[in-house]
């Protein structure tokens, strides 16, 4: 766990810059491909949503927003193919995810999406091709792939690239020198449009490789919170209601780029005085100090 935490922080902050790290990073960039082999079912519309970085690009909220928008227009015809990272489902046969499923069974992001969109079926499995075929047999006519920017040999009907307004390309380098998924030019070439998540600065300049792509700004929304009470010792969560004040608070996260969420909280008037950070997707057991009195976390972290 300690090694994973160190590696995650190093990737996000781009601290490994020695000659060996640069050499490995160049090798990674040379073989990294934003397109994944996926056999797309016939007769369905496919949408791929990926991020520029290994985490923290805002792709999952974008998946939820797109699915909610489409399901209002074509109810009963939308399905999401999630990844089930680190769960039993990532090694098993295709299955539908339900909001009450255990994280260890389906993955934290798949469970998060299922809870946010009870009207939209979410599927996970070891093979995205098999999972997509299974979803099509359940009468889904539009498939949204979470975490896959582009498919091959047949391309998605629509590909959206999510990137954070504050750090569009993360630390700007591929692993182990950074958290960029692939060369910027290949990422932009693989997508049809760019979705800048968060509040873009007026002076924000997109990378030169993105020229010619349509760009959409996805504004910041009020963060979804869960309250961690002292009596719960970090094990139980309740809706963050009745705080009475917006500061000071403690923050517990297990996210990629947790500073993004912290900025969102501070933009809504919260004063964060303590921050306990875990590793994205991994369990976190923590004993909360008595002060500050109020401790918050995200829906996904909870």
């Amino acid at each position: 766990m300690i090694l994973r935490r160190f590696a995650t922080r190093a990737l996000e902050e781009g601290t490994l810059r020695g000659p060996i790290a640069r050499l490995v990073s160049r090798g990674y960039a040379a073989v990294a491909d934003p397109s994944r082999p996926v056999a797309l079912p016939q007769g369905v519309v496919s949408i791929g949503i990926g991020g520029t970085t290994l985490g923290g690009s805002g792709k999952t909220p974008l998946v939820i927003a797109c699915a909610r928008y489409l399901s209002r227009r074509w109810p009963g015809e939308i399905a999401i193919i999630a990844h089930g990272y680190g769960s039993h489902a990532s090694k098993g046969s295709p299955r539908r995810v339900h909001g009450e499923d255990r994280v260890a069974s389906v993955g934290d992001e798949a469970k998060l999406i299922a809870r946010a969109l009870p009207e939209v079926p979410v599927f996970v499995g070891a093979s995205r091709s098999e999972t997509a075929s299974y979803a099509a047999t359940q009468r889904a006519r539009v498939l949204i792939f979470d975490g896959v920017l582009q498919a091959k040999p047949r391309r998605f009907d629509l590909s959206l690239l999510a990137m954070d307004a504050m750090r569009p390309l993360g630390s700007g380098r591929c692993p182990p020198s950074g958290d960029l998924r692939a060369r910027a030019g290949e990422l932009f070439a693989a997508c049809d449009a760019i979705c800048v998540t968060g509040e873009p600065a007026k002076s924000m300049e997109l990378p030169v490789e993105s020229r010619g792509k349509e760009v959409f700004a996805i504004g910041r929304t009020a963060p979804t919170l869960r309250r961690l009470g002292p009596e719960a010792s970090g094990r139980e969560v309740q809706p963050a209601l009745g705080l009475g004040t917006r500061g000071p608070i403690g923050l517990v996260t297990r996210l990629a780029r947790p500073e993004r969420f912290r900025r969102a909280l501070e933009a809504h008037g919260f004063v964060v005085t303590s921050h306990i950070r875990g590793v994205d997707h991994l369990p976190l057991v923590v004993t909360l100090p008595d002060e500050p009195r109020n401790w918050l976390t995200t829906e996904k972290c909870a």
Side-chain angles (χ1 to χ4, degrees):
M1 185 76 74
I2 295 175
L3 181 61
R4 179 70 176 271
R5 185 178 295 113
F6 168 79
T8 300
R9 293 291 293 273
L11 288 174
E12 293 178 1
E13 298 172 6
T15 55
L16 299 179
R17 301 185 181 183
I20 296 179
R22 289 197 299 269
L23 180 63
V24 177
S25 181
R26 286 196 293 268
Y28 181 103
V31 299
D33 187 353
S35 299
R36 301 292 180 86
V38 180
L40 299 174
Q42 296 294 326
V44 302
V45 175
S46 56
I47 302 173
I49 299 180
T52 56
T53 58
L54 296 177
S57 298
K59 65 173 180 56
T60 299
L62 181 59
V63 167
I64 293 173
C66 288
R68 180 176 288 124
Y69 177 88
L70 293 173
S71 66
R72 289 171 181 167
R73 285 147 181 80
W74 298 286
E77 298 187 19
I78 315 300
I80 296 172
I81 310 301
H83 52 70
Y85 180 83
S87 69
H88 303 313
S90 64
K91 303 175 183 178
S93 302
R95 56 160 294 183
R96 181 171 178 176
V97 178
H98 299 280
E100 63 273 13
D101 286 337
R102 296 177 64 247
V103 170
S105 298
V106 297
D108 54 357
E109 291 185 351
K111 177 181 174 73
L112 172 68
I113 296 171
R115 290 184 63 175
L117 300 169
E119 72 281 7
V120 178
V122 180
F123 299 96
V124 292
S127 166
R128 286 191 177 93
S129 298
E130 293 179 3
T131 305
S133 296
Y134 178 74
T137 65
Q138 306 302 303
R139 295 190 291 183
R141 294 295 173 263
V142 179
L143 301 182
I144 302 176
F145 289 78
D146 179 20
V148 185
L149 180 60
Q150 190 55 265
K152 61 181 181 182
R154 196 174 107 212
R155 290 171 65 94
F156 289 134
D157 295 294
L158 177 66
S159 171
L160 301 178
L161 178 64
M163 63 184 190
D164 180 31
M166 295 296 292
R167 302 189 69 180
L169 298 180
S171 53
R173 292 172 293 275
C174 290
S177 297
D179 58 353
L180 189 63
R181 284 188 178 273
R183 288 171 176 161
E186 295 184 5
L187 288 169
F188 292 121
C191 73
D192 298 306
I194 300 166
C195 295
V196 180
T197 59
E199 295 292 346
K202 293 182 179 180
S203 59
M204 176 185 178
E205 292 187 8
L206 293 174
V208 64
E209 296 92 342
S210 66
R211 290 177 181 173
K213 296 292 182 179
E214 192 166 8
V215 179
F216 299 90
I218 311 299
R220 181 191 292 121
T221 59
T224 301
L225 307 176
R226 285 289 179 268
R227 184 175 184 176
L228 301 175
E231 71 284 353
S233 299
R235 292 189 297 272
E236 299 177 4
V237 294
Q238 298 176 350
L241 301 175
L243 290 178
T245 178
R246 288 195 171 183
I249 64 166
L251 185 61
V252 180
T253 58
R254 35 177 295 281
L255 298 165
R257 299 200 177 282
E259 68 278 1
R260 175 193 175 100
F261 178 64
R262 180 168 178 165
R263 291 198 309 267
L265 281 178
E266 292 171 340
H268 284 83
F270 291 94
V271 179
V272 180
T273 58
S274 299
H275 189 177
I276 299 174
R277 303 184 181 192
V279 178
D280 193 19
H281 301 302
L282 294 187
L284 175 64
V285 178
V286 61
T287 300
L288 300 177
D290 293 333
E291 295 295 334
R293 179 180 177 183
N294 293 309
W295 287 83
L296 299 181
T297 190
T298 73
E299 181 83 9
K300 171 184 168 180
C301 297

